[in-house]
């Protein structure tokens, strides 16, 4: 159907909604009532300023103008029952009924609801405005710090956080006697003060299904460093690093789903956008409050995170038609930041009518003036939080009006990435669990035992690992060692929530470096560091490490798990690996008889391996793709069959390990040198296999077919062929240098050892450097 949408409201939130809605192919026209001086950004968007904005006037106008979907921005119309007025004339509203809107309209009601449905929240008591003495006695005797909340709507400012009992009593009198928040203070919720990071979770709901957006962090206080009075919000950023996948899963399971189910069972199903504020306490996420509409300024940031293929209008329509599970909702990787510019004096009294001027931003019309406390939200998106923040503040500098006030520290908590820890007198209270560490050792022992080989029994739990070289059959061995990590590929694994393959990458990066020296990988040790140990996640990683060791034929004989609260944000971890191999002295590579005319054999990679992922992430941001998006190229599994994988899973295809296929040829003296194609691509790595820097290489790019992942990166990122060749492996993971008259024998030895494909890709030449011919074929 074609949608003609009426958006109720006139702020930055409504502007952001209209900006995303107008991108939909099913939307023909958007009207904002009343809108503002910046909302009319195309012929598809218009402002409507009705002299009479009563619900009946809005309905009459909507019927006359063929409106078939209404999206309210502010909470007041929803609490006052705007949904039923439009429903009576057959126009659906993306927002709850008046009964369901009580979840925001009355904090006393919502707290009672949470109690009935066992939803985690703070301890509380509710007092009528006539119960001042009882409320004062409660704050004196409750035994914990408290927060005072006016139960009704107060434009986001009806919350006081007293520092002492005396301040709490003064706050009660301010709300209940002096009526600082008017009728909103007819009831007061006295609530236990929760300690921990605060996040905002906005979620779409159709009454049955609920789908959260990335968690945001709002900045309520007027002053930098979170000081001063509460406001409607001075800025926000998303996603918040503290909202790890595990925390979001728990929030959905313990709060969002029970809330939607409970409202439906009690007879007022929730349709619209449920906005829940949480404190991430030591005992888990607890609800601060519910809101029943899009947040401001969270919405300005979150709209920038919706992927290009997410149709907001289709999502909204699916909600009002109770079929949210039928539409796709995906997000861009990266971050968005919104900074609010306010009038001097806000959140107290302030002047209006100040002329706004802008620099290098889209024009806002002939003359635009301030008309509220929060004037403009400047929003920006970027692959990193720091870059998004910098871009937002570049925009702030371009907007000016008399008395402009803004916070200069938006997103400071995310940038600090402070881990959630609780000071205490035990090691566990600092965030380190010895029991969890022991549980991990127990969980991974079967994986480790599977890597046993001659020379070691692959048992862990002691203070070191032992390897018997004599038992392994060596006569005059040289030990070769290597250490490496996974690089930015690890960030992709963490953000995509896919952890079962990076362990293979960790092993591959070290053992392939041993192999190029002719060494057989003998044993491997790993280092796993995190802020808070997640046994299941860590076991998944170590299982991959064990699989990599099995592919390499080496034993996993030890490792270290370091749990360091404060060093890593929740959900983050880091990996390092250390491998040791051996080679008989006479078989050490590279040999000194490499010469011009020698042939270069290429062994195919399995994909990106573990290099260039910083560039990959930038390409994804440019393409507006997410790790959950379908793989944009035809993806084949090991047997050649087409598979349906997410982009994240395809990018995380593990690095190939070549030891078993290559060692027989190396021991047979058929290989003169090898190059592992890692960071630096062909340009930097092939010369490392040519001793003395006297010779170079000529490579023909037509000798193999550029794999689809690299073609997609070239196209989506606009990357030149030369940049590809010095960044990625481009489909060749290992290069072997062999004598021309032994090339056929070397290929046979590789195939006999299990190598399915071998390409003749070039030759050694007399002049230094690497020349890559026919890269234009990569554009075919």
């Amino acid at each position: 159907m074609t949608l003609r949408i009426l958006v109720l409201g006139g702020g930055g939130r409504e502007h952001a909604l209209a900006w995303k809605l107008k991108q939909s192919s099913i939307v023909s026209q958007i009207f904002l009532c009343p809108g503002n001086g910046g909302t009319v950004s195309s012929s598809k968007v218009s402002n409507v300023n009705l002299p009479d904005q009563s619900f009946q006037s809005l309905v009459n106008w909507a019927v006359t103008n063929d409106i078939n979907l209404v999206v309210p921005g502010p909470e007041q119309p929803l609490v006052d029952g705007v949904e039923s007025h439009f429903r009576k004339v057959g126009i659906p509203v993306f927002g709850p009924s008046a009964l369901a809107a009580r979840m925001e309209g009355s904090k006393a009601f919502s707290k009672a609801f949470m109690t009935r449905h066992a939803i985690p929240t703070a301890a509380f008591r509710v007092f009528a405005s006539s119960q001042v003495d009882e409320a004062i006695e409660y704050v004196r005797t409750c035994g914990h710090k408290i927060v005072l909340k006016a139960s009704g709507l107060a434009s986001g400012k009806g919350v006081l956080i007293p520092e002492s009992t005396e301040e709490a009593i003064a706050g009660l009198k301010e709300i209940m006697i002096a009526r600082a928040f008017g009728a909103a203070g007819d009831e007061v919720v006295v609530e236990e003060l929760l300690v921990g990071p605060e996040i905002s979770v906005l979620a779409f709901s159709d009454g049955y299904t609920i789908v959260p957006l990335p968690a945001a962090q709002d900045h309520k206080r007027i002053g930098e460093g979170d000081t001063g009075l509460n406001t409607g919000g001075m800025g926000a950023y998303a996603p918040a690093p503290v909202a790890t996948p595990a925390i979001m899963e728990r929030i959905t399971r313990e709060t969002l789903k029970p809330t939607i189910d409970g409202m439906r069972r009690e007879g007022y199903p929730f349709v619209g956008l449920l906005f829940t504020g949480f404190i991430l306490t030591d005992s888990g996420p607890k609800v601060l409050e519910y809101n029943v509409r899009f947040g401001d300024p969270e919405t300005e940031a979150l709209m920038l995170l919706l992927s290009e293929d997410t149709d907001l209008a289709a999502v909204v329509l699916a909600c009002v038609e109770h079929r949210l599970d039928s539409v796709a909702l995906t997000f861009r990787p990266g971050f968005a930041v919104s900074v609010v510019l306010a009038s001097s004096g806000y959140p107290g009294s302030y002047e209006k009518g100040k002329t706004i001027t802008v620099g290098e931003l889209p024009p806002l019309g002939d003359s635009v003036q301030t008309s509220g406390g929060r004037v403009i939200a400047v929003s920006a998106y970027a692959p990193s939080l720091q870059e998004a923040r910098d871009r937002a503040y570049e925009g702030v500098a371009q907007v000016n009006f008399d008395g402009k006030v803004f916070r200069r520290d938006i997103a400071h908590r995310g940038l600090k990435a402070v881990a959630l820890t609780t000071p205490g007198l035990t090691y566990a209270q600092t965030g380190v669990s010895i029991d969890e560490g022991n549980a991990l050792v127990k969980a991974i022992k079967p994986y480790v035992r599977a890597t046993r080989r001659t020379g070691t029994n692959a048992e862990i739990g002691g203070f070191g690992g032992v390897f018997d070289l004599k038992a392994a059959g060596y006569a005059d061995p040289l030990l070769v060692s290597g250490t490496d990590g996974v690089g930015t590929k690890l960030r992709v694994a963490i953000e995509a929530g896919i952890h079962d393959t990076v362990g293979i990458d960790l092993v591959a990066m070290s053992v392939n470096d041993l192999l190029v020296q002719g060494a057989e990988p003998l044993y491997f040790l790993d280092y796993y560091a995190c802020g808070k140990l997640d046994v299941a996640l860590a076991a998944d990683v170590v299982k991959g490490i064990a699989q990599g060791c099995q592919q390499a034929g080496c034993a996993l004989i030890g490792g270290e798990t370091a749990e360091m609260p404060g060093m890593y944000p929740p959900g983050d971890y880091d990996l390092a690996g250390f491998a040791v191999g051996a080679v008989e002295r006479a078989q050490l590579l590279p040999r000194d008889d490499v010469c011009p005319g020698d042939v270069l054999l290429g062994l195919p990679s399995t994909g990106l391996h573990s290099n260039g992922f910083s560039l990959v992430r930038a390409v994804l941001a440019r393409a507006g793709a997410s790790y959950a998006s379908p793989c944009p190229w035809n993806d084949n599994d090991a047997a050649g069959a087409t598979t349906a994988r997410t982009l994240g899973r395809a990018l995380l295809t593990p690095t190939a390990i070549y030891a078993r296929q290559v060692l027989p040829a190396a021991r047979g003296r058929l290989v003169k040198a090898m190059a592992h194609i890692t960071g630096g691509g062909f340009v930097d790595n092939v010369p490392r296999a040519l001793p003395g820097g006297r010779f170079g290489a000529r490579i023909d790019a037509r000798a193999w077919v550029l794999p689809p992942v690299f073609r997609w990166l070239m196209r989506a990122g606009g990357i030149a062929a030369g940049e590809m060749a010095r960044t990625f492996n481009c489909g060749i993971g290992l290069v072997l240098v062999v004598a021309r008259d032994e090339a056929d024998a070397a290929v046979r030895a590789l195939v006999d050892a299990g190598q399915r494909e071998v390409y003749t890709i070039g030759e050694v030449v007399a002049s230094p450097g690497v020349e890559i011919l026919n890269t234009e074929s990569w554009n075919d």
Side-chain angles (χ1 to χ4, degrees):
M1 65 182 296
T2 299
L3 293 178
R4 291 171 60 83
I5 301 176
L6 173 62
V7 177
L8 303 181
R13 164 183 51 205
E14 291 75 31
H15 189 176
L17 291 173
W19 171 80
K20 186 61 180 176
L21 287 167
K22 76 177 182 180
Q23 298 171 19
S24 171
S25 60
I26 63 173
V27 172
S28 63
Q29 193 70 37
I30 299 170
F31 300 93
L32 292 100
C33 183
N36 63 51
T39 50
V40 180
S41 54
S42 73
S43 59
K44 206 173 184 178
V45 183
S46 306
N47 286 344
V48 177
N49 196 358
L50 301 179
D52 176 10
Q53 293 195 10
S54 66
F55 289 169
Q56 191 56 54
S57 294
L58 288 170
V59 170
N60 292 341
W61 184 92
V63 171
T64 301
N65 288 273
D66 298 322
I67 298 298
N68 49 13
L69 180 62
V70 176
V71 180
E75 64 276 12
Q76 192 70 59
L78 292 166
V79 172
D80 292 343
V82 70
E83 182 270 343
S84 65
H85 286 75
F86 283 98
R87 176 163 39 88
K88 288 176 182 176
V89 296
I91 301 176
V93 174
F94 179 72
S97 65
L99 289 177
R102 289 177 297 176
M103 297 293 275
E104 179 169 2
S106 170
K107 292 181 176 63
F109 174 85
S110 67
K111 294 291 284 190
F113 174 90
M114 287 183 258
T115 300
R116 289 195 300 275
H117 294 279
I119 291 169
T121 191
F124 71 98
R125 285 279 303 276
V126 178
F127 298 93
S129 58
S130 60
Q131 296 176 295
V132 178
D133 292 340
E134 291 93 328
I136 291 174
E137 181 62 20
Y138 177 73
V139 301
R140 281 175 171 161
T141 59
C142 66
H144 52 70
K145 285 191 172 183
I146 54 94
V147 178
L148 305 178
K149 296 182 177 180
S151 180
L153 299 179
S155 301
K157 299 186 285 289
V159 178
L160 300 178
I161 306 177
E163 294 293 332
S164 64
T165 300
E166 290 71 24
E167 284 188 22
I169 293 171
L172 287 171
K173 292 178 179 178
E174 182 181 351
I175 298 173
M176 304 172 83
I177 298 175
R179 311 291 286 172
F181 303 118
D186 286 349
E187 287 184 304
V188 175
V189 177
V190 181
E191 190 174 86
E192 173 193 8
L193 176 66
L194 299 177
V195 178
E198 183 175 348
I199 62 171
S200 303
V201 178
L202 281 64
F204 290 97
S205 174
D206 63 359
Y208 298 87
T209 301
I210 188 159
V211 179
L213 283 76
Q217 278 195 330
D218 188 11
H219 297 64
K220 282 290 186 185
R221 302 287 192 131
I222 185 66
E224 290 163 15
D226 301 312
T227 58
L229 296 174
N230 268 349
T231 70
M234 293 301 295
Y237 71 98
V242 293
T244 64
I247 286 174
M248 291 299 291
E249 186 279 330
R250 187 171 179 182
I251 282 173
T252 301
R253 172 169 43 86
E254 294 182 354
T255 296
L256 301 185
K257 192 69 167 63
T259 298
I260 295 301
D261 292 344
M263 295 178 75
R264 187 176 63 253
R265 285 196 295 268
E266 292 192 4
Y268 42 93
F270 187 92
V271 173
L273 196 289
L274 182 68
F275 167 5
T276 311
F278 290 91
I279 288 284
L280 305 182
T281 72
D282 295 333
S283 57
K286 292 189 177 182
V287 175
L288 286 177
E289 63 180 1
Y290 292 113
N291 297 295
V292 297
R293 38 69 193 180
F294 285 97
D296 191 347
E298 293 92 346
T299 301
E300 289 89 320
L302 289 170
M303 290 301 102
L304 292 174
L305 292 180
L306 290 179
S307 65
E308 291 183 4
D309 56 0
T310 293
D311 187 328
L312 178 61
V315 173
V316 167
L317 186 63
C319 287
V320 300
E321 294 178 351
H322 309 291
R323 53 175 184 83
L324 178 57
D325 58 355
S326 70
V327 295
L329 186 62
T330 58
F331 310 101
R332 302 165 72 186
F335 296 83
V337 174
S338 291
V339 180
V340 169
L341 311 185
S343 297
S344 179
Y346 176 80
S349 59
Y350 50 85
E351 295 182 1
K352 299 181 181 181
K354 305 295 184 181
T355 299
I356 302 170
T357 61
V358 299
E360 296 178 7
L361 292 174
L364 300 180
D366 295 333
S367 178
V368 180
Q369 297 181 339
T370 66
S371 65
R374 293 188 300 159
V375 177
I376 284 181
V378 179
S379 306
Y381 164 84
S384 71
L385 180 56
Q386 182 66 59
E387 188 178 0
R389 183 176 184 268
D390 291 346
R391 289 181 180 178
Y393 279 107
E394 288 172 9
V396 167
Q398 298 296 321
V399 181
N400 292 287
F401 54 88
D402 186 26
K404 179 177 81 170
V405 173
F406 63 95
R407 282 182 56 166
R408 293 170 172 81
D409 64 344
I410 301 303
H412 68 91
R413 291 188 294 269
L415 291 173
K416 291 177 182 176
V418 177
L420 299 178
T421 58
T422 303
L425 300 177
T426 68
Y427 208 14
Q429 286 176 323
T430 68
V432 179
S433 173
I434 295 174
D435 291 338
E436 291 291 280
N438 292 335
L440 176 61
V441 172
K442 183 177 180 181
I444 65 178
K445 276 189 174 183
Y447 308 141
V448 175
R449 289 187 185 123
T451 70
R452 286 175 175 170
R453 55 153 292 160
T454 303
T456 182
N457 60 6
E459 283 291 339
I460 58 171
F463 290 98
V466 176
F467 192 93
D468 186 346
L469 273 174
K470 185 176 180 180
Y474 283 90
D476 183 21
L478 297 173
L479 289 180
V480 181
S481 60
T483 185
D484 211 335
V486 181
T488 315
K489 189 172 187 177
L490 186 60
R491 172 50 52 193
V492 176
I494 292 169
E495 292 177 358
I498 299 171
H499 309 284
D500 58 347
T501 58
V502 289
I504 300 175
D505 290 294
L506 185 68
V507 176
M509 295 305 291
S510 289
V511 300
N512 285 342
D513 283 347
L514 303 186
L515 182 63
V516 300
Q517 298 174 81
E520 174 193 12
L522 299 178
Y523 59 86
F524 188 85
L525 298 98
D526 68 89
Y527 175 79
Y528 180 96
C530 61
K532 178 65 176 175
L533 183 60
D534 181 328
V535 173
L537 188 157
D540 225 13
V541 173
V542 177
K543 181 180 179 181
I545 293 172
Q547 290 172 342
C549 287
Q550 288 177 287
Q551 293 178 28
C554 67
L556 178 57
I557 66 170
E560 168 70 6
T561 301
E563 189 176 21
M564 299 180 287
M567 281 290 291
Y568 298 91
D572 267 16
Y573 61 93
D574 200 4
L575 291 175
F578 182 79
V580 173
V583 58
E584 295 290 1
R585 191 179 303 272
Q587 296 176 345
L588 183 66
L589 298 180
R591 286 163 33 186
D592 57 9
D593 61 342
V594 174
C595 62
D598 285 343
V599 172
L600 303 181
L601 301 180
L603 305 190
S605 68
T606 51
L608 293 170
H609 287 186
S610 295
N611 297 100
F613 273 85
S614 294
L615 181 54
V616 170
R617 295 177 73 217
V619 171
L620 261 68
R622 175 171 173 166
S626 74
Y627 300 123
S629 302
C631 182
W633 60 86
N634 290 329
D635 199 21
N636 297 325
D637 61 19
T642 299
T643 61
R645 295 196 291 180
T646 63
L647 179 55
R649 176 63 74 176
L651 292 174
L652 289 168
T653 300
T655 305
I657 297 175
Y658 300 99
R660 294 185 185 274
Q661 305 96 297
V662 172
L663 277 172
R667 287 171 172 168
R669 303 291 290 169
L670 294 171
V671 180
K672 292 185 176 185
M674 284 185 266
H676 183 199
I677 309 303
T678 58
F682 297 112
V683 176
D684 288 347
N685 287 292
V686 173
R688 295 163 66 184
L690 307 175
R694 293 172 293 148
F695 306 133
R698 182 180 299 117
I699 296 173
D700 185 353
R702 293 178 304 184
W704 73 98
V705 176
L706 188 71
V709 59
F710 299 104
R711 292 182 183 275
W712 182 79
L713 287 169
M714 284 186 72
R715 183 177 65 254
I719 305 172
E723 185 68 18
M724 293 291 294
R726 64 175 299 177
T727 304
F728 302 111
N729 65 63
C730 296
I732 300 295
L734 194 72
V735 173
L736 283 63
V737 180
V738 302
R740 184 169 296 277
D741 59 359
E742 293 182 331
D744 291 342
V747 171
R748 284 195 301 271
L750 291 166
V751 172
D752 289 345
Q755 181 62 43
R756 294 174 57 188
E757 294 176 295
V758 182
Y759 305 109
T760 300
I761 65 171
E763 63 179 345
V764 176
V765 296
S767 56
V770 177
E771 181 184 12
I772 305 176
L773 306 176
N774 301 311
T775 54
E776 66 275 5
S777 66
W778 289 351
N779 295 312
D780 293 344

